[in-house]
Amino acid sequence: MSAASRAPLRSNRSPRTAARTSDRGRARARSRAVLAVGAVAAALLVSACSSGGTSGGGGQTGFITGSDGIATAKEGERADAPELSGETVDGGHVDVADYKGKVVVLNVWGSWCPPCRAEAKNFQKVYQDVKDQGVQFVGINTRDTSTGPARAFEKDYGITYPSLYDPSGKLLLRFEKGTLNPQAVPSTLIIDREGKVAARTLQALSEEKLRKMLAPYLADESDGSDGSGGSGGAADSAKPEK
């Protein structure tokens, strides 16, 4: 073997080629990070697009799930809603924190989800009935890869309240584990007037069940009610006329 053949091989890559290789590596790393977020979101929504189901409570969770599949937390034991803000399906901007002082009905949906289509008309009807009672509906559209199908969904069902666009589920991951967090599509949460999560269900809702879920929080919370039951009708009737 000649001395030349025994000489160590040298890399013939130029600095420019090495830089391009490094850039591709960083791009692949970013892609893996995005996919990881999507995978975690998919894991969070393990029972995605189901037409029913309930979530357990008790233990250290601080909430109780009723036989109707609606889980509630008593006043004083409710977790703060996370920061939920960003671009909407129609290109606007919403920050749920701006609605503090109102009851917020938060509905997680996707245009691809049959149970979401089944309940959409119910949400719009109830929203029209209660929006003047200190109530704001907000949607979170998830796992739609573009806003086109989501906008078509809103048009088809006449939805007039805003929906945050959250294709990868990043907003949903902001809810603390062990609290009343969304774990399915559809999910519906009630955020009380103090900005705390008061109730949750992991199922498509009929108009009747949505009204039942919302009713306790329509009461004037200054009456000392913990919002965990009752329709609040008596409290409303006791309000002085303006």
Side-chain angles (χ1 to χ4, degrees):
M1 182 180 293
S2 68
S5 65
R6 290 196 301 270
L9 294 175
R10 295 180 180 179
S11 173
N12 59 4
R13 293 192 305 169
S14 68
R16 182 176 300 175
T17 301
R20 285 200 297 268
T21 301
S22 178
D23 289 342
R24 286 196 294 270
R26 285 194 291 268
R28 284 195 294 269
R30 286 194 296 269
S31 296
R32 285 195 295 268
V34 171
L35 289 173
V37 170
V40 173
L44 172 69
L45 304 176
V46 64
S47 54
C49 208
S50 60
S51 58
T54 61
S55 172
Q60 300 301 314
T61 57
F63 60 86
I64 299 172
T65 303
S67 59
D68 56 4
I70 298 174
T72 58
K74 292 183 178 181
E75 191 172 5
E77 299 180 3
R78 300 170 185 168
D80 291 328
E83 190 272 326
L84 299 169
S85 64
E87 184 179 350
T88 60
V89 164
D90 60 2
H93 186 275
V94 159
D95 187 342
V96 171
D98 291 341
Y99 299 126
K100 190 171 183 179
K102 292 186 174 185
V103 176
V104 176
V105 178
L106 195 68
N107 178 242
V108 180
W109 63 277
S111 68
W112 45 268
C113 169
C116 300
R117 294 195 289 270
E119 71 176 4
K121 62 182 183 299
N122 304 326
F123 276 76
Q124 178 60 26
K125 187 174 190 309
V126 175
Y127 172 64
Q128 288 294 333
D129 290 346
V130 302
K131 65 180 181 179
D132 295 329
Q133 300 179 44
V135 179
Q136 177 64 51
F137 279 38
V138 177
I140 297 182
N141 171 259
T142 190
R143 295 171 61 186
D144 271 314
T145 56
S146 69
T147 58
R151 289 197 303 268
F153 179 101
E154 291 187 331
K155 181 178 180 181
D156 288 345
Y157 294 101
I159 303 299
T160 58
Y161 52 85
S163 283
L164 290 159
Y165 181 54
D166 185 31
S168 64
K170 290 187 294 185
L171 295 179
L172 304 181
L173 292 173
R174 294 179 181 177
F175 288 84
E176 293 183 13
K177 185 178 180 180
T179 66
L180 291 172
N181 54 352
Q183 296 179 349
V185 182
S187 290
T188 299
L189 287 74
I190 303 291
I191 300 175
D192 68 19
R193 299 180 195 275
E194 299 300 319
K196 297 179 181 293
V197 183
R200 178 200 64 188
T201 190
L202 307 176
Q203 59 186 313
L205 293 175
S206 65
E207 180 185 340
E208 179 183 7
K209 186 167 281 190
L210 175 56
R211 291 185 188 277
K212 177 183 177 182
M213 183 179 182
L214 177 60
Y217 310 99
L218 294 180
D220 183 356
E221 294 191 1
S222 67
D223 65 358
S225 169
D226 66 4
S228 61
S231 66
D236 285 345
S237 64
K239 292 179 184 177
E241 294 184 0
K242 293 184 179 180

